[in-house]
Short mmCIF file of all heavy atoms in Angstrom, two decimals:
data_model
loop_
_atom_site.label_atom_id
_atom_site.label_comp_id
_atom_site.label_asym_id
_atom_site.label_seq_id
_atom_site.Cartn_x
_atom_site.Cartn_y
_atom_site.Cartn_z
N GLN A 186 31.73 159.59 -48.09
CA GLN A 186 32.49 158.36 -48.26
C GLN A 186 32.06 157.35 -47.19
O GLN A 186 32.30 157.56 -46.00
CB GLN A 186 33.99 158.64 -48.13
CG GLN A 186 34.55 159.48 -49.26
CD GLN A 186 34.56 158.73 -50.58
OE1 GLN A 186 34.79 157.53 -50.62
NE2 GLN A 186 34.30 159.44 -51.66
N THR A 187 31.40 156.28 -47.58
CA THR A 187 30.96 155.27 -46.63
C THR A 187 30.78 153.94 -47.33
O THR A 187 30.52 153.89 -48.54
CB THR A 187 29.64 155.68 -45.94
OG1 THR A 187 29.28 154.69 -44.99
CG2 THR A 187 28.51 155.84 -46.95
N GLN A 188 30.94 152.86 -46.57
CA GLN A 188 30.63 151.52 -47.06
C GLN A 188 29.66 150.82 -46.09
O GLN A 188 29.54 149.60 -46.09
CB GLN A 188 31.90 150.67 -47.19
CG GLN A 188 32.83 151.09 -48.33
CD GLN A 188 33.72 152.25 -47.95
OE1 GLN A 188 34.10 152.39 -46.79
NE2 GLN A 188 34.07 153.09 -48.90
N THR A 189 28.97 151.61 -45.26
CA THR A 189 28.07 151.06 -44.25
C THR A 189 26.65 151.01 -44.78
O THR A 189 26.13 151.99 -45.31
CB THR A 189 28.11 151.94 -42.98
OG1 THR A 189 29.46 152.03 -42.52
CG2 THR A 189 27.25 151.34 -41.88
N LEU A 190 26.02 149.85 -44.62
CA LEU A 190 24.63 149.70 -45.08
C LEU A 190 23.70 150.55 -44.22
O LEU A 190 23.92 150.69 -43.00
CB LEU A 190 24.21 148.23 -45.00
CG LEU A 190 24.91 147.29 -45.98
CD1 LEU A 190 24.50 145.84 -45.72
CD2 LEU A 190 24.60 147.67 -47.42
N PRO A 191 22.66 151.13 -44.81
CA PRO A 191 21.77 152.02 -44.05
C PRO A 191 20.91 151.26 -43.05
O PRO A 191 20.58 150.09 -43.24
CB PRO A 191 20.92 152.66 -45.14
CG PRO A 191 20.92 151.68 -46.27
CD PRO A 191 22.27 151.03 -46.23
N THR A 192 20.52 151.95 -41.98
CA THR A 192 19.60 151.37 -40.98
C THR A 192 18.21 151.97 -41.11
O THR A 192 17.23 151.37 -40.67
CB THR A 192 20.14 151.64 -39.57
OG1 THR A 192 20.34 153.05 -39.39
CG2 THR A 192 21.47 150.92 -39.36
N GLU A 193 18.10 153.16 -41.71
CA GLU A 193 16.80 153.78 -41.88
C GLU A 193 16.04 153.15 -43.04
O GLU A 193 16.62 152.87 -44.10
CB GLU A 193 16.95 155.28 -42.12
CG GLU A 193 17.54 156.04 -40.93
CD GLU A 193 17.55 157.54 -41.17
OE1 GLU A 193 16.97 157.98 -42.20
OE2 GLU A 193 18.14 158.26 -40.35
N GLU A 194 14.75 152.96 -42.86
CA GLU A 194 13.93 152.26 -43.86
C GLU A 194 13.92 152.99 -45.19
O GLU A 194 13.97 152.37 -46.26
CB GLU A 194 12.50 152.10 -43.32
CG GLU A 194 11.58 151.29 -44.24
CD GLU A 194 12.10 149.89 -44.51
OE1 GLU A 194 12.71 149.30 -43.59
OE2 GLU A 194 11.92 149.38 -45.63
N ARG A 195 13.86 154.33 -45.15
CA ARG A 195 13.79 155.09 -46.40
C ARG A 195 15.07 154.90 -47.22
O ARG A 195 15.00 154.68 -48.44
CB ARG A 195 13.60 156.58 -46.10
CG ARG A 195 13.42 157.43 -47.37
CD ARG A 195 13.16 158.87 -47.07
NE ARG A 195 14.29 159.50 -46.37
CZ ARG A 195 14.39 160.81 -46.14
NH1 ARG A 195 13.42 161.62 -46.51
NH2 ARG A 195 15.44 161.30 -45.50
N ASP A 196 16.23 154.95 -46.56
CA ASP A 196 17.48 154.77 -47.28
C ASP A 196 17.63 153.33 -47.77
O ASP A 196 18.19 153.08 -48.84
CB ASP A 196 18.66 155.14 -46.38
CG ASP A 196 18.75 156.64 -46.15
OD1 ASP A 196 18.14 157.39 -46.94
OD2 ASP A 196 19.42 157.06 -45.18
N ARG A 197 17.14 152.37 -46.99
CA ARG A 197 17.17 150.97 -47.45
C ARG A 197 16.33 150.80 -48.73
O ARG A 197 16.73 150.11 -49.67
CB ARG A 197 16.64 150.05 -46.36
CG ARG A 197 17.60 149.84 -45.20
CD ARG A 197 17.06 148.80 -44.23
NE ARG A 197 18.06 148.42 -43.24
CZ ARG A 197 17.91 147.44 -42.36
NH1 ARG A 197 16.77 146.73 -42.35
NH2 ARG A 197 18.86 147.14 -41.49
N GLN A 198 15.15 151.45 -48.74
CA GLN A 198 14.29 151.35 -49.91
C GLN A 198 14.93 152.00 -51.13
O GLN A 198 14.81 151.51 -52.25
CB GLN A 198 12.93 152.01 -49.62
CG GLN A 198 11.86 151.74 -50.67
CD GLN A 198 11.58 150.26 -50.86
OE1 GLN A 198 11.48 149.52 -49.89
NE2 GLN A 198 11.50 149.81 -52.11
N ARG A 199 15.63 153.11 -50.91
CA ARG A 199 16.35 153.76 -52.01
C ARG A 199 17.38 152.80 -52.62
O ARG A 199 17.50 152.67 -53.83
CB ARG A 199 17.05 155.01 -51.51
CG ARG A 199 16.13 156.18 -51.22
CD ARG A 199 16.91 157.29 -50.52
NE ARG A 199 16.15 158.53 -50.45
CZ ARG A 199 16.51 159.57 -49.71
NH1 ARG A 199 17.61 159.50 -48.98
NH2 ARG A 199 15.77 160.66 -49.68
N LEU A 200 18.14 152.14 -51.75
CA LEU A 200 19.17 151.22 -52.21
C LEU A 200 18.57 150.05 -52.96
O LEU A 200 19.02 149.68 -54.05
CB LEU A 200 19.98 150.74 -51.00
CG LEU A 200 21.13 149.77 -51.28
CD1 LEU A 200 22.17 150.41 -52.19
CD2 LEU A 200 21.80 149.32 -49.98
N VAL A 201 17.52 149.46 -52.39
CA VAL A 201 16.87 148.30 -53.01
C VAL A 201 16.30 148.67 -54.37
O VAL A 201 16.47 147.94 -55.36
CB VAL A 201 15.76 147.76 -52.08
CG1 VAL A 201 14.86 146.79 -52.82
CG2 VAL A 201 16.38 147.09 -50.85
N THR A 202 15.63 149.81 -54.45
CA THR A 202 15.00 150.24 -55.71
C THR A 202 16.07 150.52 -56.77
O THR A 202 15.92 150.11 -57.94
CB THR A 202 14.16 151.50 -55.47
OG1 THR A 202 13.17 151.22 -54.48
CG2 THR A 202 13.48 151.94 -56.77
N ALA A 203 17.13 151.21 -56.38
CA ALA A 203 18.18 151.54 -57.34
C ALA A 203 18.84 150.29 -57.91
O ALA A 203 19.28 150.28 -59.06
CB ALA A 203 19.22 152.43 -56.67
N LEU A 204 18.94 149.24 -57.10
CA LEU A 204 19.59 148.01 -57.54
C LEU A 204 18.63 147.03 -58.21
O LEU A 204 19.07 146.00 -58.73
CB LEU A 204 20.27 147.32 -56.35
CG LEU A 204 21.49 148.06 -55.77
CD1 LEU A 204 21.89 147.47 -54.42
CD2 LEU A 204 22.66 147.98 -56.74
N GLY A 205 17.33 147.32 -58.16
CA GLY A 205 16.36 146.48 -58.86
C GLY A 205 15.90 145.25 -58.10
O GLY A 205 15.41 144.29 -58.72
N PHE A 206 15.99 145.27 -56.76
CA PHE A 206 15.50 144.14 -55.96
C PHE A 206 14.08 144.41 -55.49
O PHE A 206 13.64 145.56 -55.40
CB PHE A 206 16.42 143.91 -54.74
CG PHE A 206 17.75 143.32 -55.10
CD1 PHE A 206 18.84 144.13 -55.36
CD2 PHE A 206 17.91 141.94 -55.21
CE1 PHE A 206 20.07 143.59 -55.69
CE2 PHE A 206 19.13 141.39 -55.55
CZ PHE A 206 20.22 142.22 -55.80
N THR A 207 13.38 143.33 -55.13
CA THR A 207 11.99 143.47 -54.70
C THR A 207 11.88 143.98 -53.27
O THR A 207 10.97 144.73 -52.93
CB THR A 207 11.26 142.12 -54.82
OG1 THR A 207 11.99 141.14 -54.07
CG2 THR A 207 11.17 141.69 -56.28
N ASP A 208 12.80 143.55 -52.41
CA ASP A 208 12.75 143.98 -51.01
C ASP A 208 14.14 143.85 -50.39
O ASP A 208 15.08 143.35 -51.02
CB ASP A 208 11.72 143.17 -50.21
CG ASP A 208 11.95 141.67 -50.32
OD1 ASP A 208 13.12 141.23 -50.27
OD2 ASP A 208 10.96 140.93 -50.48
N TRP A 209 14.26 144.29 -49.14
CA TRP A 209 15.55 144.28 -48.44
C TRP A 209 16.08 142.87 -48.24
O TRP A 209 17.27 142.61 -48.37
CB TRP A 209 15.39 144.99 -47.09
CG TRP A 209 16.67 145.11 -46.32
CD1 TRP A 209 17.04 144.38 -45.23
CD2 TRP A 209 17.75 146.00 -46.59
NE1 TRP A 209 18.30 144.76 -44.80
CE2 TRP A 209 18.76 145.77 -45.61
CE3 TRP A 209 17.98 146.99 -47.56
CZ2 TRP A 209 19.95 146.47 -45.58
CZ3 TRP A 209 19.17 147.69 -47.52
CH2 TRP A 209 20.14 147.42 -46.55
N GLY A 210 15.19 141.93 -47.95
CA GLY A 210 15.62 140.55 -47.73
C GLY A 210 16.25 139.94 -48.97
O GLY A 210 17.28 139.25 -48.87
N ALA A 211 15.67 140.21 -50.12
CA ALA A 211 16.22 139.66 -51.36
C ALA A 211 17.59 140.27 -51.65
O ALA A 211 18.53 139.58 -52.09
CB ALA A 211 15.27 139.94 -52.52
N PHE A 212 17.71 141.58 -51.37
CA PHE A 212 19.01 142.23 -51.57
C PHE A 212 20.07 141.64 -50.65
O PHE A 212 21.18 141.32 -51.08
CB PHE A 212 18.88 143.74 -51.31
CG PHE A 212 20.18 144.42 -51.03
CD1 PHE A 212 21.13 144.58 -52.03
CD2 PHE A 212 20.48 144.88 -49.74
CE1 PHE A 212 22.35 145.19 -51.75
CE2 PHE A 212 21.69 145.49 -49.47
CZ PHE A 212 22.62 145.65 -50.48
N MET A 213 19.75 141.48 -49.35
CA MET A 213 20.73 140.96 -48.39
C MET A 213 21.14 139.53 -48.73
O MET A 213 22.31 139.15 -48.56
CB MET A 213 20.15 141.02 -46.97
CG MET A 213 20.08 142.41 -46.39
SD MET A 213 21.71 143.22 -46.28
CE MET A 213 22.58 142.10 -45.18
N ALA A 214 20.20 138.74 -49.23
CA ALA A 214 20.53 137.37 -49.60
C ALA A 214 21.54 137.35 -50.74
O ALA A 214 22.52 136.58 -50.74
CB ALA A 214 19.26 136.61 -50.00
N HIS A 215 21.33 138.22 -51.73
CA HIS A 215 22.26 138.28 -52.87
C HIS A 215 23.62 138.86 -52.43
O HIS A 215 24.67 138.38 -52.86
CB HIS A 215 21.66 139.14 -53.98
CG HIS A 215 22.49 139.15 -55.23
ND1 HIS A 215 22.51 138.09 -56.11
CD2 HIS A 215 23.35 140.07 -55.74
CE1 HIS A 215 23.34 138.36 -57.11
NE2 HIS A 215 23.85 139.57 -56.91
#
C-alpha cells in the first residue's frame, strides 16, 4: 500500500511504460 512515486529508474520506467508515456518528464508534466 503506497502512494509515493518511485525514485529508482527501473521502477520509474515501469510506471511510465504501463501508463503509455514516452518518458518520465512527460508523465510528471501530465
